[in-house]
Amino acid sequence: MKVNLKIKEENTVETIQHEVEELNLFQITRAIKVVKDVMKLAQNDPHLKSLFEEIFAEQGAEINADDLDQGFVQKLLGAMDVLLAEIPEKAFELLSVLSDVEYDVFMQQKPEDVFDIYDAVIQVNDIDKLINRAKKSLALTKSQVKVMNLFPKRTQLEEKQA
């Protein structure tokens, strides 16, 4: 799917078309690294960590305004600097990777154009299909490992014979 990118160089603005394609292994690897960075941010910031722990402790229970106690609000305020400064940057970096648009070019785009890029990434890539396929392969690998562990390894056999 094609999207328009505006590239600013000195006093000129050039509009080019960029084809957003299905993810390749390089993009997936880079995307995993960005997600890992976000997880590190959450682990290293005590306010953000406790905020996530409290949110996920609900395990799908609906959170409404009446349930927000003072402790939750304090955790949210404490984590606000990380949420506002670091997380959006990582989200943009992730979308840049997924769309295969150079980060500096990506950051020059207008917000409505960024939404077009986001929509193109979602439309071109069936994320659920990729996740389900990865789960299937992982399950097959686990079952193969279990079968292989049933048989004694060569070194174990040699030790028993000696």
Side-chain angles (χ1 to χ4, degrees), residues 37-157:
D37 289 346
V38 171
M39 299 308 284
K40 282 182 186 176
L41 284 172
Q43 289 175 346
N44 293 336
D45 183 87
H47 298 291
L48 191 56
K49 185 176 181 179
S50 63
L51 178 66
F52 281 149
E53 287 171 355
E54 187 163 329
I55 289 172
F56 290 119
E58 298 291 325
Q59 300 226 347
E62 296 217 10
I63 299 174
N64 60 40
D66 297 333
D67 296 334
L68 295 178
D69 63 2
Q70 187 174 1
F72 181 84
V73 173
Q74 285 177 335
K75 291 173 190 172
L76 179 62
L77 292 174
M80 198 60 74
D81 60 332
V82 174
L83 288 171
L84 292 176
E86 302 288 336
I87 301 298
E89 183 178 326
K90 289 297 180 185
F92 294 141
E93 183 180 350
L94 181 60
L95 191 51
S96 167
V97 166
L98 295 175
S99 63
D100 202 24
V101 174
E102 186 181 323
Y103 182 76
D104 291 338
V105 171
F106 182 87
M107 293 304 289
Q108 292 178 4
Q109 306 310 303
K110 294 188 184 322
E112 58 271 5
D113 295 331
V114 170
F115 284 115
D116 290 341
I117 294 168
Y118 173 80
D119 292 346
V121 168
I122 297 299
Q123 289 175 6
V124 169
N125 295 283
D126 188 346
I127 304 298
D128 285 335
K129 180 181 174 183
L130 287 172
I131 290 171
N132 289 332
R133 183 63 177 96
K135 286 179 183 178
K136 179 181 174 185
S137 293
L138 183 60
L140 288 172
T141 301
K142 284 181 180 179
S143 66
Q144 184 67 29
V145 168
K146 285 180 185 177
V147 169
M148 294 305 292
N149 285 337
L150 293 175
F151 299 104
K153 294 182 174 120
R154 186 177 196 173
T155 56
Q156 291 173 340
L157 286 174

